[in-house]
Amino acid sequence: MMQLFKFDSLITPSIIKFMFYFGVACSALGALATIGSGIAVMQYQPMAAFAYIIVGLIVALIGVIMSRVFSELVLVLFMIRDELAWQRQEATNKSSK
């Protein structure tokens, strides 16, 4: 528990996978809600219902892609941080010799 307050290690990279799946689930729920709205409107306005269903499919596709992109961006930021920390350590080792 004390490691949580020391900031010696990062916990965010371990949470990224959970956040990706959470984003996928949210986009799936949004898509299902939009498609459900389209089905509910179908008897009154068939063209609007068709548009709702198409938008629901687009929401699902773009939601999954954006969730993956944001997850990868966060991972890239942590990779850059690790690389910079390694370079700093190497520079410190060379200057101490």
Side-chain angles (χ1 to χ4, degrees):
M1 185 67 175
M2 288 304 293
Q3 290 178 351
L4 183 64
F5 298 110
K6 288 184 181 179
F7 292 96
D8 291 334
S9 63
L10 301 174
I11 62 170
T12 306
S14 61
I15 299 174
I16 295 298
K17 188 181 282 188
F18 169 75
M19 294 304 293
F20 169 71
Y21 289 127
F22 180 73
V24 169
C26 286
S27 65
L29 288 175
L32 287 176
T34 306
I35 292 171
S37 297
I39 292 172
V41 173
M42 191 170 288
Q43 69 182 13
Y44 302 113
Q45 295 181 346
M47 291 306 291
F50 181 70
Y52 273 102
I53 292 171
I54 296 300
V55 168
L57 295 173
I58 291 171
V59 164
L61 180 67
I62 290 177
V64 170
I65 291 171
M66 293 307 292
S67 181
R68 178 65 186 239
V69 167
F70 288 135
S71 299
E72 287 181 5
L73 284 174
V74 171
L75 286 174
V76 165
L77 288 174
F78 281 101
M79 286 182 207
I80 291 170
R81 180 219 173 255
D82 290 341
E83 181 66 25
L84 289 173
W86 178 80
Q87 288 178 1
R88 185 177 348 155
Q89 184 66 31
E90 288 295 313
T92 304
N93 289 342
K94 286 182 182 179
S95 67
S96 66
K97 289 182 181 179

